[in-house]
């Protein structure tokens, strides 16, 4: 992967700009900095390797060289994205699930931001935002995908079992080709972000739906209940002791209770 190959492969997409790094700390950090310098909507930062990739809740994200995809897309929010900021994480997850389906694989979404294949984590999404007053001015949608088997971190370094697109498909996957499937899918879903179709499709891909799960939250007792679905704003609906609860996106760890 190099800048010229990426420019050529992605030239048919309406990107605002493209920055490629052989190695960088975090593409999200670079995208946030670029956004503060007036980067256009749909500008993308891509790195072959990240040395301090970040996950949710202060976790590390590993992007070893030549094996994975790590990119961050700058979104200048549309009216729907301002109305439903939590759906932006769903946008990334849906886009990736779609792109992976072209390989004949069925991806699921472990709410709010993990994409699973065969019940194992293949990708994570980290959406960060910059607010001006009470409205978001920028979203940075960062996505890390374990593409080749050698990108999967050792078992003792992950909290949830992990896998790669290569492992699950049994095919050698070209990272640039995969990126070329994910970005158009994201661009196609974006105008539908405010629709019922968006929420219903996101919901239909949820892992553990109808199952008993456990939610953990820092400094609080875990909640056990049935995973019901999604609220219109992207929050999770749970049934706990016959009561329906709503859990806000971004605050909760989700794990199967089995
Ligand atoms: C998670 O699973 O907690 C989210 C992981 C998000 C990783 C991606 S890789 C590209 C972008 N840059 C980062 O530093 N993080 C995101």
């Amino acid at each position: 992967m190099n800048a010229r190959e990426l420019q050529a492969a992605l030239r048919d997409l309406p990107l605002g700009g493209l920055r490629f790094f052989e190695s960088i700390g975090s593409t999200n950090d670079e995208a946030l900095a670029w956004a503060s310098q007036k980067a256009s909507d749909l500008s993308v930062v891509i790195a072959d390797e990240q040395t301090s990739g970040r996950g949710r809740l202060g976790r590390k994200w590993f992007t070893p060289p030549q094996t994975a995809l790590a990119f961050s897309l700058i979104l200048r929010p549309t009216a729907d994205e301002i109305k439903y900021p939590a759906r932006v994480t769903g946008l990334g997850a849906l886009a990736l699930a779609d792109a992976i389906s072209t390989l004949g694989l069925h991806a699921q979404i472990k709410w709010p931001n993990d994409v699973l294949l065969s019940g194992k984590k293949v990708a994570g999404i980290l959406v960060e935002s910059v607010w001006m007053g009470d409205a978001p001015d920028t979203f940075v949608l960062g996505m890390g995908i374990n593409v080749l088997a050698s990108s999967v971190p050792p078992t003792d370094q992950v909290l949830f079992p992990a896998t790669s697109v290569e492992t699950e498909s049994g095919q050698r996957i070209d990272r640039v080709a995969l990126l070329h499937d994910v970005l158009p899918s994201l661009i196609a879903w974006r105008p539908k972000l405010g629709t019922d179709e968006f929420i219903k499709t996101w919901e239909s891909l949820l892992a553990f739906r109808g199952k008993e799960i456990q939610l953990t939250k820092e400094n609080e007792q875990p909640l056990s209940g049935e995973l019901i679905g999604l609220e219109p704003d992207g929050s999770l609906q749970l049934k706990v002791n016959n009561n329906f609860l709503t859990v806000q996106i971004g605050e909760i760890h989700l794990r199967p209770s089995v």
Side-chain angles (χ1 to χ4, degrees):
M1 183 193 284
N2 58 50
R4 189 178 300 177
E5 183 192 4
L6 285 165
Q7 293 280 7
L10 304 178
R11 73 170 169 251
D12 57 334
L13 302 181
L15 299 180
L18 190 159
R19 286 185 180 173
F20 169 74
F21 296 84
E22 270 178 22
S23 183
I24 199 171
S26 155
T27 56
N28 263 35
D29 287 345
E30 175 66 22
L32 285 165
W34 192 9
S36 74
Q37 297 154 7
K38 313 231 174 306
S40 307
D41 185 48
L42 289 180
S43 293
V44 63
V45 178
I46 305 166
D48 185 50
E49 173 190 31
Q50 291 186 119
T51 53
S52 36
R54 294 186 280 109
R56 284 178 72 237
L57 308 165
R59 295 182 189 136
K60 290 185 178 151
W61 182 264
F62 296 93
T63 309
Q66 295 172 25
T67 60
L69 267 177
F71 67 90
S72 300
L73 192 64
I74 296 170
L75 301 175
R76 298 299 189 188
T78 61
D80 283 339
E81 288 159 5
I82 290 172
K83 189 168 169 197
Y84 299 115
R87 292 194 187 195
V88 177
T89 302
L91 176 65
L94 263 184
L96 180 58
D98 255 9
I100 288 179
S101 72
T102 63
L103 299 167
L105 297 172
H106 177 59
Q108 288 191 302
I109 299 170
K110 176 170 160 285
W111 183 91
N113 71 316
D114 293 343
V115 178
L116 309 183
L117 284 175
S118 307
K120 297 179 194 161
K121 180 163 173 171
V122 72
I125 291 156
L126 177 67
V127 174
E128 297 181 298
S129 47
V130 180
W131 290 65
M132 293 281 208
D134 57 4
D137 169 69
T138 304
F139 288 110
V140 166
L141 192 166
M143 193 182 293
I145 311 172
N146 301 332
V147 182
L148 303 187
S150 48
S151 66
V152 178
T155 316
D156 61 351
Q157 291 184 35
V158 291
L159 292 166
F160 194 85
T163 189
S164 69
V165 184
E166 180 184 51
T167 308
E168 300 303 322
S169 66
Q171 300 169 38
R172 186 83 185 165
I173 303 290
D174 180 71
R175 289 180 295 157
V176 177
L178 180 60
L179 182 63
H180 189 273
D181 284 344
V182 177
L183 289 175
S185 169
L186 199 148
I187 290 166
W189 270 109
R190 192 180 183 201
K192 299 187 200 165
L193 182 134
T195 64
D196 285 351
E197 180 195 354
F198 182 93
I199 279 286
K200 292 288 163 221
T201 310
W202 182 8
E203 192 174 58
S204 72
L205 294 174
L206 283 185
F208 318 123
R209 200 158 166 224
K211 302 241 166 72
E212 288 295 316
I213 55 105
Q214 192 178 58
L215 279 167
T216 60
K217 197 171 171 183
E218 259 181 3
N219 306 322
E220 286 193 17
Q221 288 292 322
L223 269 181
S224 291
E226 182 186 341
L227 195 159
I228 302 294
L230 291 174
E231 294 286 339
D233 68 352
S235 305
L236 195 68
Q237 286 174 347
L238 283 182
K239 192 169 157 196
V240 179
N241 301 329
N242 280 326
N243 294 317
F244 287 92
L245 298 184
T246 298
V247 181
Q248 298 298 317
I249 202 157
E251 298 176 350
I252 303 291
H253 308 230
L254 175 71
R255 305 219 177 85
S257 56
V258 285

